[in-house]
Amino acid sequence: MCGNGYVDADGHCTGCGRGPAGTRDHAERDLGGVAAVSDIGLRHHRNEDAFAVAATALPDGQPAVIAVVCDGVSSSTRPDEASAAAAGTAREFLLGALPRGVPGPQAVHDALLAAGNAVAALAQGTEPEPGRNSPACTIVSAVTTGPTLTVGWIGDSRAYWVPDEPGAAAARLTEDDSWAAQMVAAGLLTEAEAMADHRAHAITAWLGADAQEIDPHTASFKPDRPGVVIVCTDGLWNYAETGQQMALVVPDHARRAPLATARQLVRHALDSGGHDNVTVAVIPFPPSAQA
């Protein structure tokens, strides 16, 4: 609940209208080497975000850590089912591929394609709701394979790198598939101008039966110092857009306490307005053998 009202006889908050917590209104998972938290936020009637996290090992015994975060497209039919299908499918694909020695970039690329097929399958045999498109969602995944970090994405969910070292540069690792990003890339608007436009968050790529040919983005990095990877939906990054802004809200103990960090980042989003569902996964880097 928002804390600005009281719970009425029907179990709803008079301040924000939220009802009793469902299984997806607030979800947490902690595997030690990766943790994630998802919350419905303060303005929505359901949580259309989803996440999946896992840990496994490469053929040589090095740890591999997986985080997948998805954001259902609210204008689509059953967006909550779309995000859950995408996150779960990508996780299972990666758990099958990485222990077999499939390189991180290839595994992430193919996992996103598999997730797209799973979302598209939701449209088979059913008609979209009136005025809505087929089930759809965005997706972002971060995978550590030994010393390498690979991110993959479609849409406007993001990944950030926040180093432990005070003053070291944090960075956004993904580029949005969005109207705003297109305007900036074309040199037509500054980032501030584009983000101020009401079309800023209109996505130009997504997973779903009505998406154009899916072309996942992937990028790999070899961080030269310890830190954390933040994987999130726009419910968080709306309130911390740049790498440096994200670094300011990530606690100093982040690498030692990924679940507490994910909780704190979700709380930051809620305290900042909570206008959307918010989902955050945190991966400490380098991963431990116990991840």
Side-chain angles (χ1 to χ4, degrees):
M1 303 301 174
C2 66
N4 295 321
Y6 61 89
V7 178
D8 64 18
D10 294 324
H12 290 77
C13 174
T14 59
C16 65
R18 289 173 62 179
T23 56
R24 286 182 65 174
D25 284 2
H26 185 90
E28 300 186 358
R29 186 81 191 278
D30 182 15
L31 300 181
V34 57
V37 176
S38 183
D39 192 88
I40 192 174
L42 303 179
R43 305 292 181 90
H44 284 251
H45 69 285
R46 66 182 174 188
N47 190 356
E48 297 170 356
D49 287 357
F51 69 80
V53 294
T56 185
L58 304 178
D60 62 3
Q62 292 189 89
V65 179
I66 299 162
V68 185
V69 167
C70 298
D71 185 351
V73 176
S74 293
S75 60
S76 72
T77 300
R78 295 149 54 203
D80 53 330
E81 295 180 39
S83 62
T89 298
R91 173 187 180 275
E92 293 308 307
F93 188 97
L94 290 164
L95 281 175
L98 295 173
R100 292 189 288 106
V102 178
Q106 187 65 53
V108 169
H109 177 276
D110 293 350
L112 267 58
L113 291 179
N117 290 335
V119 177
L122 294 176
Q124 297 176 4
T126 61
E127 290 294 324
E129 297 170 8
R132 293 180 177 270
N133 299 320
S134 298
C137 68
T138 68
I139 187 168
V140 60
S141 177
V143 172
T144 62
T145 49
T148 304
L149 162 66
T150 299
V151 296
W153 71 98
I154 298 171
D156 64 350
S157 293
R158 294 181 177 180
Y160 292 80
W161 166 250
V162 179
D164 265 359
E165 185 179 333
R172 192 175 109 199
L173 304 178
T174 56
E175 294 293 335
D176 298 344
D177 290 313
S178 68
W179 180 91
Q182 282 192 341
M183 293 299 102
V184 173
L188 299 176
L189 295 173
T190 67
E191 185 166 3
E193 290 169 338
M195 293 306 296
D197 192 281
H198 72 279
R199 295 166 290 185
H201 286 274
I203 57 174
T204 57
W206 59 90
L207 302 182
D210 58 0
Q212 297 180 355
E213 184 177 354
I214 296 174
D215 184 16
H217 311 283
T218 61
S220 293
F221 310 88
K222 289 194 174 182
D224 61 357
R225 65 199 69 195
V228 291
V229 185
I230 305 297
V231 188
C232 63
T233 60
D234 58 354
L236 172 63
W237 68 251
N238 275 331
Y239 306 110
E241 289 192 22
T242 68
Q244 289 307 111
Q245 289 171 337
M246 186 64 70
L248 290 175
V249 297
V250 170
D252 293 339
H253 63 267
R255 196 160 65 91
R256 300 185 303 276
L259 179 60
T261 297
R263 287 171 172 167
Q264 182 166 325
L265 293 174
V266 168
R267 174 46 55 188
H268 171 74
L270 297 179
D271 290 345
S272 299
H275 286 77
D276 202 351
N277 308 145
V278 54
T279 300
V280 183
V282 179
I283 302 177
F285 190 93
S288 68
Q290 291 77 35

